[in-house]
Amino acid sequence: EIAVRVFRACTELNIRTVGVYAPEDKDMLHRYKCDESYMLTARRNPVDSYLDIDELLRVATVAGVDAVHPGYGFLSERA
């Protein structure tokens, strides 16, 4: 999974990582490979949770992140 690769690269560079996950994805590997993880608000389906830009920005603000990686698919392909 791409998120796990991004987390690994950041760890090698001593960059703290924050991940998000939909409630349905609570047991997925990417949740455990980041330094901190935040559950997104439940929506109709997991994809809608990952596409909720306001929710993603809320988590980014709470976590105090400096940058956001949009991944591949979901948010990065949304026009």
Side-chain angles (χ1 to χ4, degrees), residues 20 38-41 43 52-65:
V20 295
Y38 293 83
M39 183 172 69
L40 298 170
T41 302
R43 301 288 181 225
D52 186 340
I53 294 172
D54 290 334
E55 176 76 354
L56 294 171
L57 292 175
R58 182 194 68 77
V59 170
T61 300
V62 167
V65 301

Side-chain angles (χ1 to χ4, degrees), residues 18-37:
V18 175
V20 295
Y21 62 95
E24 297 86 348
D25 292 336
K26 66 181 176 13
D27 296 322
M28 298 299 288
L29 181 62
H30 77 278
R31 177 184 174 199
Y32 300 100
K33 291 295 184 179
C34 53
D35 296 314
E36 295 178 53
S37 65

Side-chain angles (χ1 to χ4, degrees), residues 1-13:
E1 179 169 306
I2 210 63
V4 174
R5 291 180 186 186
V6 170
F7 296 149
R8 184 180 310 128
C10 288
T11 298
E12 291 174 5
L13 296 169

